[in-house]
Amino acid sequence: MFYDKGLYFTCKQCSHCCRDFPGVVLLSEEDLQSLVSWSGLTREQFMQVYCRWVEDRSGKTYLSLKERQNYDCILWQDGGCTAYKARPTQCRTYPFWKQNLESQEAWDECAKGCPGMNSGELHSKEEITSELEKYMKREVISD
């Protein structure tokens, strides 16, 4: 793998991954439970206020966080994630996602929009693999 010697990444808290462009944040049952606890709402209330169903190309639907009209994540406010400690696995594991780790070119392309990539802390291959596994193994909620 191109990251056998590790990759540099430290979040610069620019929030670019949370804002400014369309996105989907898929939720697992664990993610939803954590966010419901954070919010103090019932599961149904949380889903009504913060979630939407998104459809993939095959017509299957998945539970995702909503985004605002300007494409900001619904949890992003005043310079950061309001639910940071309860943020979904998808957010916690960024940028160590399958599509970003397919090749050096894919990593570098993603890094064009993320100032934390290729700078800061060196993450070992084992750390990267662990984060990738968390991302890949989560079972997102589908309808």
Side-chain angles (χ1 to χ4, degrees), residues 96-119:
F96 303 119
W97 298 347
K98 181 182 179 200
Q99 62 268 32
N100 298 338
L101 297 172
E102 288 180 350
S103 65
Q104 182 71 57
E105 293 77 19
W107 178 263
D108 290 340
E109 184 63 30
C110 185
K112 290 178 183 177
C114 178
M117 294 172 71
N118 294 326
S119 70

Side-chain angles (χ1 to χ4, degrees), residues 23-39 41-55 61-68 72-75 83 86 88 141-142:
V24 174
V25 178
L26 300 178
L27 301 177
S28 68
E29 191 60 48
E30 182 179 299
D31 294 332
L32 182 58
Q33 288 174 9
S34 180
L35 287 165
V36 166
S37 293
W38 161 81
S39 72
L41 301 173
T42 66
R43 179 186 174 95
E44 293 74 24
Q45 290 169 327
F46 182 87
M47 288 176 63
Q48 184 177 19
V49 172
Y50 291 99
C51 298
R52 64 185 170 133
W53 290 97
V54 295
E55 190 173 313
T61 56
Y62 299 92
L63 190 65
S64 173
L65 289 175
K66 288 180 182 177
E67 58 188 15
R68 300 186 194 320
D72 290 358
C73 173
I74 193 159
L75 298 176
I141 300 169
S142 61

Side-chain angles (χ1 to χ4, degrees), residues 74-140:
I74 193 159
L75 298 176
W76 191 92
Q77 210 170 40
D78 300 326
C81 180
T82 58
Y84 189 80
K85 291 185 187 246
R87 71 193 185 282
T89 302
Q90 182 175 327
C91 304
R92 288 177 186 277
T93 59
Y94 182 83
F96 303 119
W97 298 347
K98 181 182 179 200
Q99 62 268 32
N100 298 338
L101 297 172
E102 288 180 350
S103 65
Q104 182 71 57
E105 293 77 19
W107 178 263
D108 290 340
E109 184 63 30
C110 185
K112 290 178 183 177
C114 178
M117 294 172 71
N118 294 326
S119 70
E121 180 184 352
L122 177 64
H123 295 268
S124 69
K125 179 181 179 181
E126 293 75 24
E127 289 176 277
I128 295 164
T129 302
S130 174
E131 292 302 296
L132 176 60
E133 286 176 4
K134 290 176 195 172
Y135 175 76
M136 296 300 293
K137 287 184 177 180
R138 77 195 197 287
E139 293 184 33
V140 294

